[in-house]
Amino acid sequence: GMPEGSRLSGRSKTFGNIVIVIIVLVVAVLKLVDWGESFDEPAENVENYENSDTAAAVEVPSESIDIYENMVRDLSEDGENFEISLNAGQYVVGCQLPEGRYTVKAGEDAENLWFSVEDEEENYFYNSWWISDYQMTENGYEIEDVRLYNGAVMTISGAGTILLQTVNGQTDQMKIPQANPLTEQVYVSSDLLKVGKDLEAGVYDVKALENEGIFKIRDEEGYEMEYYLDSDQWYDPAEYHNMILLEGDIIYVEPEEFSIVLIPSEEIYE
């Protein structure tokens, strides 16, 4: 479950991921253009490139940018061992997982996984990571030194599981979960449903029933978010956890042959 105020943060993050994907695609195209030009060079230049000074010069240290340099406070070095496996959805640090410095690993079922963290309190921190083969280490796909502060919203998208592990989890600061007062499942098709009229506002898990498609939410200000789901979980998740639906939201799916069910999330946090 999620605190009531977290949904919009999660939404803006998904939009951020879309922007990041576009940027990545643009960069990739530019690189292809560069590479295409280099292929026109004489063969001996290509063979000698590996040992040239130019090759050494283009290596950029991965640690050259400190994404945490503006954080308001440092994380405690003391704490408890904690690990949790999570799938697509929205999670809040201090609720489902404790504050701490984490190593994040991709599960064996991971496909096209992104996770992002937004922290409005810690100097409006935002960063997004893509779990892919470029993080391959002797321990598998993993990203080290992911710092999660209480109140930060973590959004996971894509199919599969990520494992988060920390040795300094602030478990004593975690909120106590409560049972979700919602009990009714809601089936959603291409017909528009209004939250507060056709279903109760609250925290739901979104599950694809058949085919693949898009779950859409349009809020009262006209802002629309899209969540891609696939019942076969080929590239997109079959389920999205802890979706907060607010009074006045309009929800529906596309295309017509796609359908989902909203299942009240088992636990919520005040």
Side-chain angles (χ1 to χ4, degrees):
M2 300 273 289
E4 278 302 316
S6 302
R7 196 277 300 276
L8 294 179
S9 296
R11 284 189 177 184
S12 63
K13 197 66 56 290
T14 307
F15 178 74
N17 282 343
I18 294 169
V19 173
I20 290 167
V21 171
I22 292 170
I23 292 171
V24 169
L25 289 174
V26 170
V27 172
V29 169
L30 291 175
K31 285 185 177 293
L32 282 174
V33 172
D34 291 341
W35 293 338
E37 291 172 355
S38 69
F39 289 151
D40 294 332
E41 296 174 1
E44 60 268 19
N45 289 348
V46 176
E47 290 169 6
N48 295 333
Y49 177 77
E50 212 170 85
N51 300 319
S52 70
D53 293 336
T54 311
V58 297
E59 289 184 10
V60 179
S62 59
E63 302 301 320
S64 58
I65 300 174
D66 180 9
I67 60 174
Y68 302 107
E69 63 180 350
N70 295 319
M71 301 306 271
V72 176
R73 63 186 176 88
D74 292 327
L75 292 170
S76 172
E77 295 299 324
D78 301 320
E80 302 294 327
N81 290 332
F82 180 90
E83 69 175 54
I84 188 171
S85 294
L86 297 175
N87 303 98
Q90 298 173 22
Y91 307 91
V92 177
V93 181
C95 294
Q96 290 92 351
L97 68 166
E99 177 174 289
R101 187 188 302 259
Y102 283 82
T103 296
V104 182
K105 299 181 180 181
E108 293 180 2
D109 60 348
E111 290 284 349
N112 186 39
L113 269 174
W114 287 85
F115 72 96
S116 58
V117 176
E118 180 178 37
D119 193 332
E120 295 184 359
E121 292 183 12
E122 295 295 326
N123 205 28
Y124 201 80
F125 173 82
Y126 172 75
N127 199 58
S128 185
W129 294 263
W130 179 34
I131 299 260
S132 73
D133 55 5
Y134 80 85
Q135 294 110 351
M136 176 62 91
T137 69
E138 62 273 12
N139 298 319
Y141 303 152
E142 68 174 43
I143 303 171
E144 296 181 339
D145 194 23
V146 175
R147 303 177 198 177
L148 301 180
Y149 290 77
N150 284 331
V153 177
M154 170 181 277
T155 302
I156 302 173
S157 59
T161 305
I162 64 172
L163 174 66
L164 297 100
Q165 299 172 313
T166 184
V167 295
N168 64 324
Q170 305 302 300
T171 52
D172 58 332
Q173 300 174 17
M174 292 177 71
K175 293 184 177 181
I176 299 172
Q178 301 178 10
N180 194 337
L182 301 181
T183 57
E184 303 235 346
Q185 296 187 7
V186 181
Y187 293 87
V188 184
S189 65
S190 55
D191 296 330
L192 302 184
L193 296 179
K194 186 171 184 178
V195 179
K197 178 186 175 185
D198 301 307
L199 68 153
E200 291 187 73
V203 187
Y204 293 88
D205 292 341
V206 185
K207 185 175 182 179
L209 290 177
E210 56 181 334
N211 302 315
E212 58 183 301
I214 310 169
F215 173 51
K216 295 192 173 188
I217 306 173
R218 185 168 66 245
D219 66 20
E220 288 186 309
E221 296 178 357
Y223 182 77
E224 190 167 87
M225 268 318 305
E226 299 179 341
Y227 298 86
Y228 290 79
L229 296 162
D230 181 356
S231 60
D232 293 327
Q233 192 159 297
W234 176 248
Y235 205 63
D236 293 309
E239 195 165 355
Y240 192 94
H241 299 280
N242 305 318
M243 177 70 71
I244 295 179
L245 298 180
L246 303 177
E247 198 95 12
D249 283 345
I250 301 294
I251 63 172
Y252 62 103
V253 300
E254 289 182 350
E256 285 189 8
E257 56 269 20
F258 179 55
S259 61
I260 63 170
V261 60
L262 300 177
I263 305 169
S265 303
E266 287 187 14
E267 297 177 340
I268 62 170
Y269 297 82
E270 294 297 331

